[in-house]
Amino acid sequence: MTNNNENNIAYQQEVEDDFNIKQFFLTYLRFWYVYVFVLSITFSMAYFYNWFSKPVYNVSAKILIKDDKSTSIGTEDILKDLNVYSVSKNIENEIEIFQSRQLLKEVIDRLELDVLYYLVGNVKKSEVYTESPFKITYDSLNFFAYNNYVYITILNENQFELSYEIEQTKDTYKKKHSFGEKIYLPIGIITVNKRALFDNDLFNNSSYEKRDFRIKFNSINNNIDFYQAKLNIALLNKQSSVIQLSIEDVVPQRGLDFINTLIAVYLEHDVKEKNKIASSTANFITEQLNAISDELKTIEIERQNFKIEKGITDVSNKSQQILERVQLKDNEISNINLQLSFIEYLQKYVEENKSISNIAPSSLGINDPLLVRLISQITDLEIEKQKLEQSYNQETPAIVAINNKIKFTRNTLLQNIESIKNGLQTSKKELQISMNSLENEMGTIPKTERELVGIEREYRVKESLYLYLLQKEAETSIALAASVSDNRIIEEARSTSYPIRPIPKKSYSLALLLGLLIPTGVIFAFEQFNDTVRDKKTIEKFTKIPMLGIVGYSKEHYALVVSEKPKSLIAESFRTIRTNLKYFLNGKAKETILITSSVGSEGKTFSSMNLSIIIALSGKKTVLLGLDLRKPKIVNDFDIPNEKGISSYLIGAEPLTAIVQKTSIENLSIIPSGPIPPNPSELIMSEKMDELINQLKQEFDTIIIDSPPVGLVTDALLLSKYADVTIFVVRQNVSKKEYLTQINQLYKENRIKNPSILFNAVKLSGLGYGYGYGYGYGYGYYEENEEKGFFKRLFKK
C-alpha cells in the first residue's frame, strides 16, 4: 500500500512538472474575442484621451541663490567694508519667498492672468491667452462674475454679442455691443477692446468660424492659490545653491511670462530688502545731522560774538594743548553718547514689538556679536511665522510655538541691549573721570581765555561728531547706489518643445499593456477559482484511473447522435471507446458495463445510450438497463413507454419478457426503469436483481447499466458487483475536481471493478494532449474532413 502511495505521488509530481507551453497559451487564446474587445476599448480611450486632452508643456528656469556659504563679491564686500549690516540668506527661506502670496500677487498683477480666454470649437475648447483678438478690462466685478462663464461671439469688426447665464439665480443676458464701449452689467462693469492682432477682414467674412469665445474671470486670491499649487521649486543638488523654478501650462507663452516675471519681481524685492537696512541707517543719520548742524550754527555765532566782545583773536599755546587733550576725550564721550542714543532707539523698537529687520547696529559702531545674532534670529522667526500664517490661523500650535520663540528671543535681546547699555554708561563714567582732571588743569588758565576754550571745546566736539556722521552718510549713500541683487539667472525660462502630456506613444503603449493585462488577469482569476475539470491533464493529475476515451461536445438537440449521424465526430469517438473496451474486458464473451458519474448533468445517460447503440451496431446483442430508478430518462429519447420496467420486475409484478422492449436499432433492446419506487436501493439489493442479471447474461452479449450518480446515492456501488467494467463519466467544465478525488478514493479502496473514465462534452481546447492519444485510430480522418485551414490546424490539439 505504501508503494502505491509513493508511486501515486511520483506520478502526480511528474504530471505537474510537465508544462505544456502550447496548452498554457491556448488557455488564454481561446478567449481571443475578449482580448479584441478590451483592446478596442483601451485603444479607443487612448485615442480620445490624446485627441481631447489639452497638451501640457513644462516651463523652467534656473537661478543662483547666494546662501550662507556663498562667496561674497561686489556689493556684499562694499557693505562689509562700510560696516553696513547685511542679512545672510537661507535657501529654504528664499524658496518660501518665491512662493509667498505677496510676490505672486505682484506677478499676477503684472500679467493678464485675471481673465482667461477660450476659443470654443465644435467639440473642444482651446485656451488662447494673449492671442485672443480682444482684451477685456473691468472697473468692478461681483461674486457672480467669478463663478459663471461669459460668452462673446464676434459679429464683425465693430460689434460682438455678449451673453451669460447666472447659474445661482438663473438670470440670463444676451445683447450686442460695440468694441471699446463701457458695458454696465449686473455682474460688473467691463470694456471689450480689440487687440492689435484683430483681423477685420476675417471677422467680416461670414464663413469664418473662429469667432466664439468663452471668458472666465479669476479673483486674485484664487489665482494666487492656483499658482502656489502649480509652481514647483527644487534645489538641484545639496552641493550648490542653484534652484530650478518650473510650472506646467497648456499655454507655453503664459508659463514663460509667469516664470520670467516671477524672477524679475524676486530680484527687485531682493534689492529693496538690501536697501531697507541702508535706508533705515541713512534716515537715522540724517536726523542726527540736522540736529547737530543747527547746534553748530548756534555755537559758531556764540564763538564769534564772544571774540568780538572780549577782543580775543585766539587762545594761547598752553590753552591750545589742553584743548586738544580735552577734545580727544570729548570725541570718545560723544561717540559713546551716539551709541547710547542708537541703543535706546533700538530698545524702544523692541519694546514696542516693531520690526527690527531693518536695524543695522554695526553701521554705528555697535559690533556686539550676540546682538547681531539675536536680531538675525528674530528676523528668521518672523519670516517663518509669515509663511505659517498663509496656511494656518493664530490658534494653531505651530504659530503659538513660534510666537513663544519670538517672545523669548525678544526678551533675550532686551537683556542684551540692557547689558550693552550698561557697558556704554560705565565707559562713559570712566571717560568722565579722566575729563575731570583735565578740567582742573583748565582752571589755571585766565578766566576770559578759559571761557573761550569752553566754547571752542563744545564747537570742536559737535564738529567732530558732524564730520563722523557725514562720513557715515556718504558710506550709506555709496551702499545704496551700489546695491544690486547677489542672485543671478543661470538659465532664463524656456519651454519644452513637445507636450509632456499627453504623449501619444505612451498612451497607446499603456492601452496595449492594459488591454492585455486586464483580460489576462480576469481569465487567470477565473481559471484559478474554476474548480471544474477543464482538460485531460487535470484528470490525470487527480486520479490514476485510466481514460477510456473522449467524447466531443454535441451541439445537436437530440441525444441519439450515433444513430442519427453515424459519420459524425461523436459517433467516431464512441467507436473508439468500443474498441478501447476490449482492452478492459480481456476478451470476455459476455460483458456487463456499468456507466455512472459523480452527480447529475454530466452526460451519464447520453453516454449509456450512444455506447449501447454503437455496440449493438457491431453485431452484439445488447440490452440497456435504466437502473436510475429515481430519474428515468432513456424512455424519452427512445420513445418507449415506461409503465413497465425494472421496478415492476423487482417487485414481482411483471416477468422479464414483459419488460424487455425492442428498439428500431438492430440488436438493441431497452429495459426502462418503470414506475418510480419508494425504495430503489432496497430493490437493487434484492435477490431479484441477481436473478435479472443472470437471465440477461444468458440472452444478451452485452449488458449496459445506466446507474444513478455515485456521489448522490449508493445504487451505483450496489450495482458495481455485477459489472465487468465501470465507466465514470466526467464532463468538461461541469464535473468538479473534488469528484475526481472521490472517484479515486473508491478506486483505492477497491469498491469498484475495473474502473475507467469517459471524458464527455469536450471542446477542442480541453483535450490536454490531443485527440486520439492512445485511444483509437481513424479519428483524424473525420477531423481532417471537417477542419481545414491554417488557424484550425494551429489550435487543433
Side-chain angles (χ1 to χ4, degrees):
M1 188 67 179
T2 304
N3 291 335
N4 289 336
N5 291 337
E6 290 176 354
N7 291 336
N8 190 28
I9 295 172
Y11 174 80
Q12 289 189 8
Q13 183 66 39
E14 179 182 354
V15 172
E16 290 175 3
D17 293 341
D18 184 16
F19 178 72
N20 189 331
I21 189 168
K22 183 178 179 182
Q23 177 65 25
F24 175 78
F25 281 110
L26 285 178
T27 301
Y28 295 94
L29 288 179
R30 62 193 172 100
F31 295 102
W32 62 269
Y33 51 90
V34 178
Y35 285 93
V36 171
F37 176 73
V38 176
L39 282 170
S40 63
I41 292 177
T42 55
F43 272 92
S44 297
M45 292 175 64
Y47 171 79
F48 283 106
Y49 171 75
N50 292 330
W51 178 76
F52 193 77
S53 296
K54 298 176 181 178
V56 178
Y57 297 81
N58 182 269
V59 179
S60 63
K62 294 179 183 177
I63 184 170
L64 174 67
I65 303 294
K66 287 292 187 69
D67 62 357
D68 296 342
K69 298 179 181 179
S70 301
T71 304
S72 297
I73 58 174
T75 305
E76 192 69 22
D77 289 335
I78 295 173
L79 292 173
K80 287 186 176 180
D81 292 339
L82 300 180
N83 289 325
V84 177
Y85 174 73
S86 176
V87 179
S88 298
K89 292 186 176 68
N90 178 278
I91 297 295
E92 288 74 15
N93 288 340
E94 298 307 303
I95 291 176
E96 291 299 329
I97 291 173
F98 267 112
Q99 294 178 315
S100 65
R101 298 184 71 85
Q102 178 185 356
L103 213 65
L104 291 176
K105 181 181 183 301
E106 188 168 340
V107 173
I108 292 168
D109 288 340
R110 294 189 186 187
L111 299 174
E112 288 187 38
L113 302 178
D114 54 339
V115 183
L116 302 181
Y117 305 87
Y118 298 90
L119 176 63
V120 180
N122 294 327
V123 178
K124 60 181 180 178
K125 296 172 285 294
S126 303
E127 197 165 353
V128 290
Y129 187 44
T130 55
E131 294 179 357
S132 64
F134 57 87
K135 178 181 179 180
I136 295 180
T137 57
Y138 52 86
D139 296 339
S140 64
L141 294 174
N142 61 26
F143 168 81
F144 296 117
Y146 295 116
N147 292 275
N148 294 278
Y149 292 110
V150 174
Y151 295 89
I152 288 180
T153 300
I154 300 175
L155 302 176
N156 51 53
E157 63 177 301
N158 298 316
Q159 287 188 314
F160 61 90
E161 184 180 78
L162 185 148
S163 62
Y164 63 81
E165 180 181 358
I166 300 177
E167 184 179 348
Q168 293 81 1
T169 63
K170 303 303 179 182
D171 293 337
T172 60
Y173 181 91
K174 187 175 183 179
K175 191 175 180 182
K176 294 179 182 180
H177 294 279
S178 300
F179 288 105
E181 171 191 353
K182 182 170 287 190
I183 307 171
Y184 294 86
L185 300 170
I187 61 172
I189 303 172
I190 68 171
T191 303
V192 182
N193 296 302
K194 293 193 290 185
R195 293 185 191 266
L197 53 81
F198 191 98
D199 193 321
N200 294 336
D201 294 335
L202 279 178
F203 290 108
N204 285 332
N205 185 355
S206 60
S207 62
Y208 185 66
E209 296 181 349
K210 297 182 179 179
R211 57 177 73 243
D212 297 323
F213 295 86
R214 189 179 76 176
I215 311 302
K216 176 71 170 67
F217 295 103
N218 278 333
S219 67
I220 186 65
N221 287 326
N222 287 343
N223 257 338
I224 292 174
D225 294 338
F226 176 76
Y227 280 98
Q228 269 187 333
K230 286 184 64 175
L231 181 61
N232 183 38
I233 306 177
L235 184 64
L236 289 185
N237 58 70
K238 296 181 179 179
Q239 285 70 40
S240 72
S241 58
V242 176
I243 62 173
Q244 177 172 300
L245 310 175
S246 63
I247 194 170
E248 296 178 0
D249 206 320
V250 296
V251 184
Q253 187 58 50
R254 183 171 59 189
L256 290 169
D257 292 346
F258 177 81
I259 293 293
N260 286 329
T261 306
L262 177 63
I263 293 174
V265 171
Y266 169 78
L267 295 177
E268 291 172 10
H269 275 251
D270 187 46
V271 173
K272 288 179 183 178
E273 286 299 319
K274 292 185 66 175
N275 287 343
K276 276 185 180 180
I277 297 172
S279 298
S280 177
T281 304
N283 293 335
F284 178 81
I285 291 173
T286 300
E287 291 177 4
Q288 297 297 318
L289 278 173
N290 292 334
I292 294 173
S293 176
D294 293 338
E295 291 178 4
L296 273 176
K297 290 177 182 178
T298 303
I299 295 172
E300 175 66 22
I301 294 171
E302 183 182 353
R303 184 177 67 172
Q304 292 297 330
N305 292 336
F306 184 82
K307 286 183 178 182
I308 294 170
E309 182 182 346
K310 301 297 182 179
I312 300 176
T313 58
D314 206 347
V315 296
S316 63
N317 290 335
K318 180 179 178 181
S319 298
Q320 185 67 32
Q321 292 175 359
I322 295 173
L323 180 61
E324 290 177 354
R325 284 186 289 163
V326 168
Q327 185 180 354
L328 291 175
K329 295 295 181 182
D330 281 337
N331 288 342
E332 293 181 13
I333 292 173
S334 296
N335 189 34
I336 289 176
N337 285 333
L338 181 63
Q339 292 183 40
L340 280 171
S341 176
F342 182 78
I343 205 71
E344 289 171 355
Y345 171 78
L346 176 61
Q347 186 178 24
K348 182 180 178 182
Y349 255 61
V350 177
E351 289 175 347
E352 293 177 357
N353 287 327
K354 293 182 178 180
S355 175
I356 59 174
S357 59
N358 302 329
I359 304 298
S362 59
S363 61
L364 293 176
I366 302 176
N367 296 311
D368 184 76
L370 179 59
L371 180 69
V372 174
R373 188 169 69 252
L374 289 172
I375 291 175
S376 177
Q377 288 179 2
I378 292 175
T379 301
D380 291 341
L381 287 171
E382 288 177 344
I383 292 174
E384 186 177 353
K385 179 183 176 182
Q386 291 175 2
K387 178 181 68 176
L388 291 172
E389 286 176 339
Q390 295 175 7
S391 305
Y392 306 102
N393 55 42
Q394 293 296 323
E395 289 74 24
T396 303
I399 295 183
V400 172
I402 204 168
N403 283 333
N404 291 335
K405 288 182 181 179
I406 292 174
K407 182 178 180 181
F408 176 79
T409 308
R410 281 183 176 272
N411 291 334
T412 306
L413 179 60
L414 286 172
Q415 294 175 7
N416 180 251
I417 290 173
E418 191 65 32
S419 175
I420 294 172
K421 185 177 177 181
N422 292 335
L424 289 173
Q425 289 174 346
T426 301
S427 299
K428 182 179 177 180
K429 288 180 181 178
E430 293 175 353
L431 288 171
Q432 196 64 51
I433 292 172
S434 300
M435 181 63 75
N436 290 337
S437 61
L438 290 174
E439 289 179 348
N440 292 333
E441 189 174 347
M442 287 178 62
T444 60
I445 301 174
K447 180 179 178 182
T448 301
E449 191 172 346
R450 186 168 66 247
E451 289 178 355
L452 180 59
V453 168
I455 295 172
E456 191 71 29
R457 170 188 171 191
E458 185 178 2
Y459 180 80
R460 291 189 179 186
V461 169
K462 297 295 182 182
E463 183 184 42
S464 176
L465 182 58
Y466 184 78
L467 293 174
Y468 173 78
L469 290 175
L470 279 178
Q471 179 186 355
K472 289 297 181 182
E473 184 181 46
E475 292 174 353
T476 305
S477 299
I478 294 172
L480 284 170
S483 181
V484 294
S485 177
D486 296 326
N487 310 316
R488 60 189 180 94
I489 300 173
I490 302 297
E491 288 184 8
E492 290 188 350
R494 58 188 180 89
S495 172
T496 53
S497 303
Y498 300 96
I500 59 172
R501 65 179 181 274
I503 301 175
K505 288 184 179 179
K506 287 187 177 180
S507 301
Y508 288 122
S509 298
L510 182 60
L512 177 62
L513 183 62
L514 291 176
L516 294 176
L517 288 181
I518 291 174
T520 300
V522 172
I523 294 170
F524 176 79
F526 174 78
E527 293 291 321
Q528 293 302 309
F529 287 102
N530 185 4
D531 62 347
T532 61
V533 178
R534 289 169 288 174
D535 50 35
K536 190 178 71 175
K537 188 174 181 180
T538 306
I539 298 174
E540 294 174 344
K541 179 179 178 181
F542 282 87
T543 180
K544 289 183 68 177
I545 298 174
M547 186 172 291
L548 179 64
I550 298 172
V551 177
Y553 179 78
S554 175
K555 297 181 181 179
E556 307 299 341
H557 63 279
Y558 45 83
L560 305 181
V561 180
V562 172
S563 61
E564 297 291 338
K565 296 184 70 175
K567 292 186 177 181
S568 65
L569 291 176
I570 294 179
E572 184 62 22
S573 66
F574 278 104
R575 290 188 180 94
T576 303
I577 293 171
R578 181 183 64 191
T579 302
N580 292 337
L581 274 172
K582 295 179 182 179
Y583 298 97
F584 288 85
L585 294 169
N586 295 322
K588 284 187 177 182
K590 301 285 185 176
E591 55 197 35
T592 302
I593 302 171
L594 175 68
I595 300 179
T596 186
S597 63
S598 298
V599 292
S601 303
E602 292 176 299
K604 168 182 60 64
T605 301
F606 171 85
S607 301
S608 300
M609 292 188 297
N610 284 282
L611 184 59
S612 301
I613 295 171
I614 204 69
I615 293 175
L617 291 175
S618 68
K620 288 188 175 184
K621 291 188 65 178
T622 304
V623 62
L624 173 60
L625 306 184
L627 273 167
D628 190 351
L629 302 179
R630 293 172 174 81
K631 295 179 67 176
K633 291 183 179 179
I634 59 176
V635 291
N636 297 325
D637 293 292
F638 282 99
D639 193 21
I640 59 176
N642 194 38
E643 287 79 10
K644 300 176 182 179
I646 295 175
S647 60
S648 305
Y649 174 83
L650 293 178
I651 63 174
E654 298 290 344
L656 179 61
T657 54
I659 62 173
V660 176
Q661 301 186 38
K662 297 282 186 178
T663 67
S664 60
I665 300 170
E666 188 178 0
N667 296 322
L668 178 62
S669 298
I670 302 292
I671 301 179
S673 58
I676 300 174
N679 55 343
S681 298
E682 286 72 14
L683 291 178
I684 291 173
M685 293 173 62
S686 67
E687 294 180 356
K688 292 286 287 183
M689 189 68 208
D690 295 338
E691 184 179 323
L692 174 64
I693 298 298
N694 290 331
Q695 290 182 31
L696 291 175
K697 282 184 178 181
Q698 294 175 9
E699 186 176 347
F700 295 93
D701 299 321
T702 302
I703 301 172
I704 297 178
I705 301 174
D706 176 27
S707 74
V710 71
L712 300 179
V713 293
T714 61
D715 297 6
L717 295 178
L718 296 174
L719 293 168
S720 65
K721 65 180 180 178
Y722 305 112
D724 297 312
V725 175
T726 303
I727 300 175
F728 285 96
V729 178
V730 175
R731 182 168 182 172
Q732 184 187 38
N733 294 325
V734 173
S735 300
K736 305 290 186 182
K737 295 175 183 177
E738 61 180 282
Y739 299 162
L740 293 177
T741 305
Q742 295 173 0
I743 296 171
N744 200 50
Q745 186 65 31
L746 294 173
Y747 170 61
K748 289 180 181 179
E749 295 174 355
N750 294 320
R751 298 177 65 185
I752 51 178
K753 289 182 180 180
N754 202 7
S756 62
I757 290 177
L758 187 153
F759 198 14
N760 184 37
V762 179
K763 297 181 180 179
L764 294 183
S765 58
L767 296 176
Y769 294 111
Y771 275 125
Y773 177 71
Y775 304 120
Y777 312 93
Y779 190 31
Y781 172 78
Y782 292 91
E783 184 179 31
E784 289 170 4
N785 286 339
E786 296 192 16
E787 294 188 9
K788 295 181 180 180
F790 171 76
F791 287 103
K792 289 188 176 182
R793 292 196 302 272
L794 173 64
F795 294 110
K796 176 174 71 71
K797 297 297 289 183

